[in-house]
Amino acid sequence: MSTHGKVTGIVSNLVTVTVDGPVAENELCYISVGGNQLLAEVIRVTGDKASVQVFESTRGLKNGDSVEFLGKMLEVTLGPGLLSGIYDGLQNNLTTMTGVFLKRGEYTDPLDRKVLWAFTPLAQPGDKVIAADWLGEVKEGWLPHKIMVPFSFKGEFTVKSVAPAGNYTVDETIAVLTDKDGEDIPVTMVQKWPVKVAVKCYKEKPRPTRIMETGVRVIDTFNPIAEGGTGFIPGPFGCGKTVLQHAIAKQGDADVIVMAACGERANEVVEIFTEFPELVDPHTGRKLMERTTIICNTSNMPVAAREASVYTAMTICEYYRAMGLKCLLLADSTSRWAQALREMSNRMEELPGQDAFPVDLSAIISNFYARAGMVLLNNGQTGAVTFIGQEGRPLLLRPRAEPRRPEALPGRQPDRLLLQIPRVSRDPGIPAGKDPEELG
Amino acid sequence: MLKAKNLVRRGREMADQINILGDDGVPMSYHESFWKSELIDFAFLQQDAFDAIDALCPLERQEYMLDLILRICDRHFEFDNFEQCRILFKEMINTLRQMNYTEFKSPQFNEYEQQLSKHLA
């Protein structure tokens, strides 16, 4: 039986709920208000009181409204059809939503359940498999999309049967696995994974060795970024961080690009929506959008979903990495994500750190950066997630670095890139790159 | 790469000296160092995101261009005055930029390289 509760306090989108049973941190819940179900996430539990952050506007919410806990964390749906999709931070498919503005409490399916995918089996009956092993593949655009043993499966399984080559929808069973107790488990093309948990279904995570070609001279030659490395582009507002990031997205040598527009202005995001479908990938000659997924949470959307958007983007990257692909995650911008964290931290009356940001901010950011990397898969192939974030408040958000210790900057380490855009480049008379001394 | 970075840093120091002491107040080598850094800046660091060819510069091309630019920077030039230095380097910067806008190793590209080679002799 699921846990229920009643709303007993509301501070903007932070809601206190008195619960009648066990709840866990990061557990999801639905708050009923005026016929809508508002999705929220538990961020603190104290006795029988749970503080939840609501991913929607809380207008009209009142004390006594009922809450139902779902017993699961915020999850993303992973399967063929994610590429070329445009999602919000909670992975709602924005293209299937109606109306000019997003309606409160409206949630859409991220995958098209009716599309038929041409499936080719890769595993044979009798094969021993573990989580993330490849069972078959479908063609998603020009990329081979591997259908894997769900990441959540623990232990070794035996393949009992695999569907023959043919066209299937994502919900049809494409394989049956038998666990060590002899129980048959059907597997479809879709799986779910909690966004805040790193996918670790790989053999090892060696140090990155290859350079990721961006086609931008000042990066490739002077400040190269490794495939599976991390980087960030700090710089003052309006200096061209986003422009540089778009250039990397267009030309970066990656199989999959995921762009997380986290707290960006809506007009900038609309620019991506209108520009990207027109662009041609210089490496393949195909449409750039075919290998791109956009996760968008604009500045006028609720702040709580901002945090979810970067985690959703990273989880999608990790999913494609497990297929042996090179993924590039561009987060624009992590400073706005930090602002969202600050907002919630302040509402919870936590002890403030520098500039009222949460004290553990650098740990949160570092943990997130640590999810990127090159991995050696169980079948010997490699996959990589390269992460490039950008920050308007660089001094606060450098992972594992302090402002007064420049030697500790990520750019000083071999697999990390720091590309600081100097303030002078805001001057229209001086082109960006005029101050090359600042470039690492 | 490190060599290019050092040349840019040195050029900046020279620019500061020239600003303080004036064009006539510094030796000719200061002007030469400054313009060598400008060459790296304009011909290599700056990139035109709105040009179909220059927007994407593959690694092979980057290596080729950096090598060419460093060969120019390695050369010691003789000038009678700083004006002469400025004119020559501006001419080379212009040629290198035209190369950036041209298809790699195309006849036009080779022609621009030929124009530069007279300065490298």
Side-chain angles (χ1 to χ4, degrees):
Chain A
M1 196 186 122
S2 62
T3 303
H4 289 79
K6 295 271 180 217
V7 173
T8 50
I10 306 158
V11 184
S12 189
N13 72 329
L14 178 75
V15 173
T16 308
V17 180
T18 304
V19 295
D20 65 1
V23 290
E25 274 209 20
N26 299 116
E27 186 176 341
L28 289 182
C29 62
Y30 275 124
I31 304 176
S32 300
V33 51
N36 286 324
Q37 297 270 56
L38 308 184
L39 192 64
E41 181 187 23
V42 177
I43 49 176
R44 183 171 64 186
V45 183
T46 316
D48 64 347
K49 298 240 183 317
S51 301
V52 302
Q53 58 175 351
V54 187
F55 295 123
E56 305 272 357
S57 163
T58 50
R59 182 177 292 180
L61 191 66
K62 57 188 184 303
N63 279 351
D65 282 344
S66 65
V67 181
E68 185 190 359
F69 290 85
L70 306 181
K72 61 174 186 181
M73 292 167 75
L74 182 64
E75 293 173 327
V76 281
T77 306
L78 303 166
L82 285 174
L83 290 183
S84 74
I86 298 174
Y87 303 104
D88 74 355
L90 304 176
Q91 216 199 3
N92 291 304
N93 192 342
L94 294 177
T95 49
T96 56
M97 283 185 164
T98 52
V100 178
F101 295 101
L102 304 178
K103 291 186 194 77
R104 188 169 70 159
E106 184 184 3
Y107 304 109
T108 56
D109 200 326
L111 298 177
D112 191 336
R113 307 272 170 178
K114 290 177 189 151
V115 174
L116 289 171
W117 297 92
F119 174 77
T120 312
L122 295 175
Q124 305 288 331
D127 284 356
K128 300 282 184 199
V129 291
I130 56 172
D133 278 358
W134 301 346
L135 296 170
E137 73 174 32
V138 298
K139 279 275 178 220
E140 188 176 9
W142 55 274
L143 283 172
H145 184 119
K146 304 286 189 279
I147 306 301
M148 295 173 278
V149 177
F151 301 147
S152 55
F153 281 24
K154 288 186 173 65
E156 195 178 65
F157 296 81
T158 308
V159 179
K160 186 180 181 189
S161 66
V162 184
N167 294 329
Y168 302 91
T169 62
V170 289
D171 291 320
E172 285 180 76
T173 301
I174 52 98
V176 177
L177 307 180
T178 310
D179 67 9
K180 64 180 189 313
D181 300 325
E183 196 181 327
D184 289 347
I185 304 162
V187 175
T188 66
M189 293 188 201
V190 185
Q191 60 171 309
K192 294 201 169 200
W193 185 259
V195 294
K196 288 196 176 166
V197 179
V199 177
K200 290 187 175 167
C201 306
Y202 46 77
K203 199 184 277 176
E204 60 177 302
K205 200 173 188 180
R207 274 187 91 79
T209 49
R210 285 194 299 263
I211 183 174
M212 194 198 72
E213 192 177 330
T214 62
V216 180
R217 286 191 291 266
V218 78
I219 297 179
D220 290 347
T221 302
F222 283 80
N223 305 279
I225 182 162
E227 216 174 79
T230 55
F232 64 83
I233 307 172
F237 298 116
C239 72
K241 300 186 294 292
T242 307
V243 174
L244 180 62
Q245 205 169 44
H246 287 191
I248 297 170
K250 286 171 203 166
Q251 294 149 202
D253 180 22
D255 300 316
V256 174
I257 309 267
V258 178
M259 295 191 73
C262 169
E264 284 298 289
R265 295 174 198 93
N267 59 336
E268 285 176 10
V269 180
V270 169
E271 220 168 80
I272 303 173
F273 288 173
T274 52
E275 196 184 339
F276 266 63
E278 304 298 320
L279 294 172
V280 174
D281 179 4
H283 299 284
T284 59
R286 300 179 67 111
K287 287 279 179 200
L288 193 64
M289 203 60 199
E290 283 183 31
R291 60 166 184 149
T292 308
T293 300
I294 300 171
I295 312 288
C296 122
N297 190 262
T298 57
S299 52
N300 57 344
M301 290 176 169
V303 287
R306 269 187 207 177
E307 190 192 9
S309 68
V310 285
Y311 283 104
T312 299
M314 180 57 90
T315 311
I316 290 173
C317 278
E318 287 174 330
Y319 174 63
Y320 281 100
R321 177 174 70 181
M323 298 176 199
L325 298 175
K326 294 180 285 185
C327 309
L328 174 62
L329 170 56
L330 299 159
D332 182 7
S333 72
T334 37
S335 52
R336 293 182 206 270
W337 165 29
Q339 284 167 357
L341 289 171
R342 174 168 66 179
E343 217 163 291
M344 295 317 296
S345 166
N346 293 358
R347 279 176 197 155
M348 289 199 296
E349 298 174 11
E350 286 178 346
L351 189 69
Q354 189 186 352
D355 282 354
F357 282 97
V359 180
D360 59 348
L361 177 68
S362 60
I364 293 169
I365 301 263
S366 290
N367 281 336
F368 183 78
Y369 272 71
R371 287 176 69 169
M374 188 181 82
V375 298
L376 187 64
L377 305 176
N378 296 326
N379 59 10
Q381 299 209 29
T382 57
V385 173
T386 309
F387 173 71
I388 301 179
Q390 53 175 269
E391 285 136 25
R393 298 179 59 89
L395 292 184
L396 269 171
L397 301 172
R398 282 170 188 164
R400 280 176 283 172
E402 292 163 24
R404 291 194 189 87
R405 289 178 55 225
E407 73 283 1
L409 289 178
R412 302 281 186 252
Q413 296 172 19
D415 61 333
R416 302 234 169 96
L417 164 78
L418 165 71
L419 196 67
Q420 185 155 6
I421 300 180
R423 190 169 290 275
V424 290
S425 68
R426 293 192 69 180
D427 184 338
I430 305 172
K434 183 66 187 172
D435 193 358
E437 268 211 328
E438 302 294 321
L439 300 173
Chain B
M1 182 266 282
L2 195 62
K3 190 175 171 183
K5 266 188 181 178
N6 286 337
L7 282 167
V8 171
R9 285 199 180 102
R10 183 156 175 76
R12 181 159 172 159
E13 284 168 21
M14 297 304 116
D16 290 342
Q17 293 286 332
I18 294 167
N19 274 339
I20 295 164
L21 301 169
D23 285 331
D24 293 320
V26 293
M28 192 53 65
S29 62
Y30 281 38
H31 286 282
E32 195 180 324
S33 292
F34 166 68
W35 277 104
K36 280 177 178 172
S37 75
E38 287 289 278
L39 187 86
I40 296 169
D41 183 357
F42 278 94
F44 196 83
L45 294 178
Q46 292 185 35
Q47 196 167 345
D48 190 344
F50 297 99
D51 181 77
I53 293 170
D54 198 29
L56 175 65
C57 190
L59 282 181
E60 186 197 354
R61 184 173 181 151
Q62 292 186 31
E63 204 179 331
Y64 189 88
M65 290 305 291
L66 187 64
D67 185 55
L68 179 64
I69 288 166
L70 289 179
R71 264 169 41 219
I72 296 172
C73 292
D74 279 344
R75 193 185 179 288
H76 176 66
F77 295 89
E78 292 290 342
F79 299 108
D80 295 331
N81 55 58
F82 64 84
E83 196 60 29
Q84 212 178 41
C85 173
R86 186 178 64 84
I87 291 167
L88 176 69
F89 273 96
K90 277 198 163 179
E91 190 190 319
M92 287 194 288
I93 286 171
N94 182 45
T95 312
L96 283 163
R97 286 194 77 130
Q98 296 312 314
M99 285 175 83
N100 285 342
Y101 288 129
T102 317
E103 199 80 46
F104 188 45
K105 292 191 174 166
S106 64
Q108 185 67 54
F109 182 90
N110 294 337
E111 198 179 305
Y112 286 128
E113 197 176 358
Q114 204 64 41
Q115 286 175 27
L116 279 174
S117 60
K118 67 177 184 228
H119 304 300
L120 290 168

